[in-house]
Amino acid sequence: MLLIDKYAYLNKLAFVHPLEKMIFSLGLLLVTLIMKDERLSLITFFVMSAFIIIGAKIPLKYYIKLLLLPAFFLLTSLVSILLAITPSTTVLPAHVWSFTWMAWTIFIGKASVLTAQHLFFIVLGSISCLYFLILTTSVQGICFVLRQWRLPSLLVELVELTYHFIFIFLGSMQKIHLAQQARLGYHSPMQWLRSISMLIAALFVEMFQRSRELNNAMQSRGGESVYWQETSSYSKKNWLGMAVIFLVLIVYGGYFS
């Protein structure tokens, strides 16, 4: 079991009804995307991070590690937004930095800085909302809510199966890779290339066999899945707290916009 899946089942907010956590997470995500306010996005990030670290008791070190992954893609995207290239004969717009080499000029415009800054805070707030949902709610809880919302059963089953096969795929890959390392399968570049190709082929066969076994198991039950049922109950205190947070953020965002 991956650590992120373990925390989804064993965190301190696991007993909270998944509908409440999904409403809270997706609601703040919508507020962040609709308001498009930097201060609001930053507040959302701190609020969700506090619920993750203090409320759910997710270790701070692990949460920072999770943030580093989207941060890499975010920073590379911001670089492409910040940097612009134009012929050196062109009159530059308002900019904070420029460098001319031969017939070309690389520069960072003031408008690009504002766009990158705006995007950074919105993405930061949005990521914290999604991490709150992932780290505090199991996939069975999420699928339970999706069924309550009357989403197509085919879509919900695809979500559940895809999530299930991700862990099977990673577990099989780890075992095969460990066995190859024990046989010095990566001690030279040529051996590394040969081991990687064997790993990919073995994973393909493994996933194909697992999918057939799963299909046979479902067919033996008449083609119907056994759905997980939620046992926790709703909490008036949680709904009231969410309403207060939404109201404060909306009023705050409307006041400063």
Side-chain angles (χ1 to χ4, degrees), residues 237-257:
K237 182 181 175 182
N238 292 340
W239 286 105
L240 182 61
M242 286 191 293
V244 171
I245 291 175
F246 284 137
L247 186 62
V248 169
L249 288 179
I250 291 173
V251 171
Y252 180 84
Y255 181 78
F256 284 99
S257 61

Side-chain angles (χ1 to χ4, degrees), residues 5 8-9 134 137-144 147 159-160 163-164 167 228:
D5 197 40
Y9 286 96
I134 294 172
T137 313
S138 64
V139 67
Q140 285 82 6
I142 294 174
C143 291
F144 170 79
R147 290 190 187 93
V159 171
E160 203 164 7
Y163 187 85
H164 178 67
F167 291 97
W228 178 79

Side-chain angles (χ1 to χ4, degrees), residues 92-253:
L92 296 180
H95 59 280
V96 295
W97 176 82
S98 66
F99 175 74
T100 302
W101 185 67
M102 298 182 70
W104 298 93
T105 299
I106 304 174
F107 69 99
I108 299 177
K110 290 185 177 179
S112 300
V113 173
L114 293 176
T115 303
Q117 179 182 331
H118 192 63
L119 180 65
F120 174 79
F121 285 107
I122 291 177
V123 172
L124 193 66
S126 303
I127 288 173
S128 64
C129 295
L130 294 178
Y131 271 153
F132 171 80
L133 181 62
I134 294 172
L135 289 169
T136 60
T137 313
S138 64
V139 67
Q140 285 82 6
I142 294 174
C143 291
F144 170 79
V145 175
L146 295 180
R147 290 190 187 93
Q148 297 298 308
W149 288 349
R150 305 296 182 190
L151 265 68
S153 58
L154 178 61
L155 175 65
V156 180
E157 288 181 7
L158 281 176
V159 171
E160 203 164 7
L161 289 175
T162 302
Y163 187 85
H164 178 67
F165 270 95
I166 287 175
F167 291 97
I168 293 178
F169 178 82
L170 292 176
S172 300
M173 184 178 68
Q174 189 177 17
K175 290 178 183 176
I176 297 173
H177 186 263
L178 186 62
Q180 288 177 327
Q181 279 186 320
R183 294 179 175 84
L184 302 179
Y186 296 93
H187 73 284
S188 68
M190 287 302 296
Q191 192 65 30
W192 181 89
L193 189 62
R194 183 170 178 270
S195 297
I196 285 293
S197 60
M198 293 175 65
L199 175 64
I200 295 173
L203 283 176
F204 177 78
V205 174
E206 174 89 8
M207 290 302 104
F208 183 73
Q209 290 178 344
R210 291 291 188 98
S211 63
R212 290 192 63 181
E213 291 172 359
L214 180 63
N215 182 61
N216 292 336
M218 293 179 66
Q219 292 297 330
S220 65
R221 294 196 296 263
E224 295 182 356
S225 299
V226 178
Y227 296 132
W228 178 79
Q229 295 295 324
E230 177 57 45
T231 56
S232 57
S233 58
Y234 297 112
S235 169
K236 291 181 180 178
K237 182 181 175 182
N238 292 340
W239 286 105
L240 182 61
M242 286 191 293
V244 171
I245 291 175
F246 284 137
L247 186 62
V248 169
L249 288 179
I250 291 173
V251 171
Y252 180 84

